[in-house]
Amino acid sequence: KVISNLPYQITSPVIRTFLEAVHPPELMVLMVQKEVAERICAKPGHMSVLSIAVQYYADAEIVAQVPRDCFWPVPGVDSAVIRIKKTKNLENKKITERLFQFAKVGFANRRKLLFKNLLPLVGKKNRGELQKAFDELGLLPTARAQELSVEQWIKLVGVITRSEATS
């Protein structure tokens, strides 16, 4: 178990390090900046690389809000306490690596359509395979990265990886 009031500037890398460890903690209870807590616990429509990374490995929830005036001196931001419970044992390193590769590229230009962001990653010659993957998952051509759930990202990577293996 990990219980901490994390320095806000290192929250993301510390959480990711724990989640990706050989022997990750079963439970983390962390005080973090409120906006970061909201990003970690985001739902489809508001997802980010951070929310995908945490939710891929664990369940996360905000358990308490901590207003800035609870501290002295008063910081410039509010805080939140989050609980991250490790729930998934992931064994397919290739899918994990590809998931984060796709997510980083997918979120690189948030205003662009996901299809256009991913096209350079799969290559123009595989445009049809990418379109087939979108169709198979019921994703609209206008989908944006933040709209996909973790499960949709995993399925998208699985379909693309499967089609790459057969070509």
Side-chain angles (χ1 to χ4, degrees):
K1 294 177 176 70
V2 174
I3 300 171
S4 177
N5 177 5
L6 286 174
Y8 294 162
Q9 64 273 20
I10 64 168
T11 298
S12 298
V14 167
I15 291 173
R16 188 106 185 250
T17 298
F18 277 121
L19 290 173
E20 293 176 348
V22 175
H23 300 290
E26 294 174 20
L27 177 70
M28 292 188 281
V29 179
L30 310 168
M31 183 154 45
V32 299
Q33 186 174 336
K34 179 183 173 192
E35 290 78 9
V36 174
E38 290 169 346
R39 269 192 286 143
I40 287 170
C41 299
K43 301 291 181 218
H46 303 283
M47 298 294 279
S48 65
V49 174
L50 179 60
S51 57
I52 289 169
V54 173
Q55 293 174 32
Y56 179 68
Y57 293 104
D59 289 332
E61 67 176 319
I62 297 173
V63 295
Q65 304 280 337
V66 184
R68 63 187 81 193
D69 60 3
C70 288
F71 300 94
W72 190 89
V74 177
V77 296
D78 291 319
S79 300
V81 176
I82 59 171
R83 178 181 18 230
I84 300 173
K85 186 173 182 182
K86 181 84 169 158
T87 56
K88 298 158 185 104
N89 292 322
L90 307 165
E91 297 178 17
N92 191 331
K93 289 196 183 286
K94 182 177 180 182
I95 293 291
T96 300
E97 288 172 10
R98 291 289 278 169
L99 171 71
F100 290 114
Q101 180 185 28
F102 269 64
K104 286 176 187 171
V105 170
F107 281 98
N109 297 302
R110 284 185 75 92
R111 302 224 184 277
K112 279 178 81 174
L113 300 177
L114 179 59
F115 189 91
K116 289 185 179 184
N117 277 345
L118 294 179
L119 193 55
L121 183 62
V122 298
K124 291 191 187 238
K125 68 180 187 324
N126 294 320
R127 180 185 188 96
E129 295 300 322
L130 183 59
Q131 184 62 56
K132 195 162 77 174
F134 267 58
D135 293 343
E136 190 174 318
L137 298 173
L139 297 176
L140 296 174
T142 56
R144 298 190 189 279
Q146 61 269 22
E147 297 170 2
L148 275 66
S149 68
V150 173
E151 291 75 23
Q152 287 174 308
W153 276 103
I154 293 168
K155 288 178 184 174
L156 179 63
V157 169
V159 170
I160 301 259
T161 303
R162 187 177 65 229
S163 68
E164 287 174 346
T166 59
S167 30

